[in-house]
Amino acid sequence: FCGPMRSIAARHGPEAGGWKITGSAILSALALLTLVGFFTQYAQPIGDNTEFSVLSRHEPQTGGSLYLVRSDGARETRLLTFSDKDIWGSAVSPKGKRIAFRVASGKNPESDIYVARADGSDARRLTHSGRHDTQPAWSPDGKQIAFISIPAGTSGEYLLQTVRMDGSGLMTLAAGVAEKRFPAWSPDGRFIAYETRNGFNQQLAIVSKSGGEPRWLDSTSGGDEPAWSRDLSLIHISEP
């Protein structure tokens, strides 16, 4: 780590354009969350059932696989396998009935978003962009998936997009040459926060699920990996 971690909470309110900083604090727990962040990018709990998680893994002999794993690591069950492909970034729907994940073919830079039932059946491809589609995030109602679409070549625009669970209704919410990462839905499903760059500075932005001009979040310079609380406070990891 490059330095101490701190959190900044931004709350949606009716005045001054709707966003204000409500407080900042040193949270030692964030250091622990950061340490396990590498694992949680691959493993996601099944709905409210914290006893099991879904783990994505690439195995040279068989390809990319999804596993159902007990939280204590004592048992794992393979849900599905894509031969000669890589699976990464599984995200479980709010009710635990579906799994979204990214599938890439071999060494090609292109990848697509797939969705399957929680038991691994009925795996379906949602995107066909010819780009690197990744980092799926479910809306709170489980009807849409936000994701980041990255240029497959050496140049192009980064896109924040949403798509319905059946693959219809593809919508671009934010576009630009600045890198975009970590889409996070607000608990009420109205907004999506994400990490991007404002000039030379890493910063968080927010955009409505129906589109429109993205807004920068004040005092989030250096912000990383946004996450929402139920009262619409936004917490992120930041390096001072």
Side-chain angles (χ1 to χ4, degrees):
F1 301 103
C2 299
M5 294 296 180
R6 62 187 175 89
S7 74
I8 298 177
R11 184 181 298 275
H12 183 262
E15 70 283 348
W19 288 96
K20 63 179 180 179
I21 297 301
T22 60
S24 62
I26 303 294
L27 297 181
S28 60
L30 280 178
L32 177 60
L33 291 175
T34 304
L35 287 171
V36 301
F38 177 80
F39 176 77
T40 57
Q41 288 184 23
Y42 294 85
Q44 293 292 318
I46 298 292
D48 295 329
N49 185 354
T50 58
E51 184 180 355
F52 291 92
S53 295
V54 174
L55 171 72
S56 55
R57 179 188 299 157
H58 180 76
E59 299 165 313
Q61 298 83 2
T62 58
S65 299
L66 287 181
Y67 286 86
L68 184 67
V69 184
R70 269 183 45 161
S71 57
D72 61 5
R75 188 182 71 202
E76 61 182 38
T77 303
R78 184 182 294 173
L79 300 177
L80 60 84
T81 297
F82 281 74
S83 300
D84 301 322
K85 294 185 179 182
D86 178 50
I87 295 178
W88 186 88
S90 58
V92 179
S93 64
K95 293 184 178 180
K97 294 182 178 181
R98 301 275 178 175
I99 306 167
F101 51 97
R102 183 221 74 178
V103 176
S105 299
K107 297 181 179 180
N108 295 331
E110 299 89 359
S111 62
D112 294 287
I113 303 298
Y114 281 66
V115 66
R117 297 183 186 275
D119 62 1
S121 64
D122 192 28
R124 292 178 289 115
R125 181 178 175 181
L126 299 187
T127 65
H128 302 75
S129 67
R131 296 163 56 89
H132 178 45
D133 297 336
T134 187
Q135 298 182 19
W138 289 91
S139 63
D141 62 7
K143 295 181 179 180
Q144 289 181 290
I145 297 170
F147 63 96
I148 302 297
S149 185
I150 300 173
T154 57
S155 63
E157 289 190 319
Y158 287 76
L159 309 177
L160 170 62
Q161 298 185 300
T162 57
V163 66
R164 296 192 187 104
M165 194 178 65
D166 61 2
S168 66
L170 181 67
M171 179 181 294
T172 299
L173 303 182
V177 295
E179 183 181 16
K180 295 170 178 59
R181 301 193 301 169
F182 306 124
W185 290 83
S186 62
D188 60 6
R190 296 170 57 203
F191 302 101
I192 300 173
Y194 59 99
E195 175 197 323
T196 183
R197 299 195 71 83
N198 186 1
F200 293 103
N201 298 318
Q202 182 175 294
Q203 193 168 348
L204 300 185
I206 186 170
V207 66
S208 168
K209 71 169 185 178
S210 56
E213 189 68 22
R215 290 179 287 164
W216 297 108
L217 299 185
D218 294 337
S219 301
T220 62
S221 181
D224 191 7
E225 300 189 41
W228 297 82
S229 66
R230 292 188 179 275
D231 65 356
L232 295 185
S233 292
L234 187 63
I235 300 173
H236 66 84
I237 296 174
S238 175
E239 293 185 9

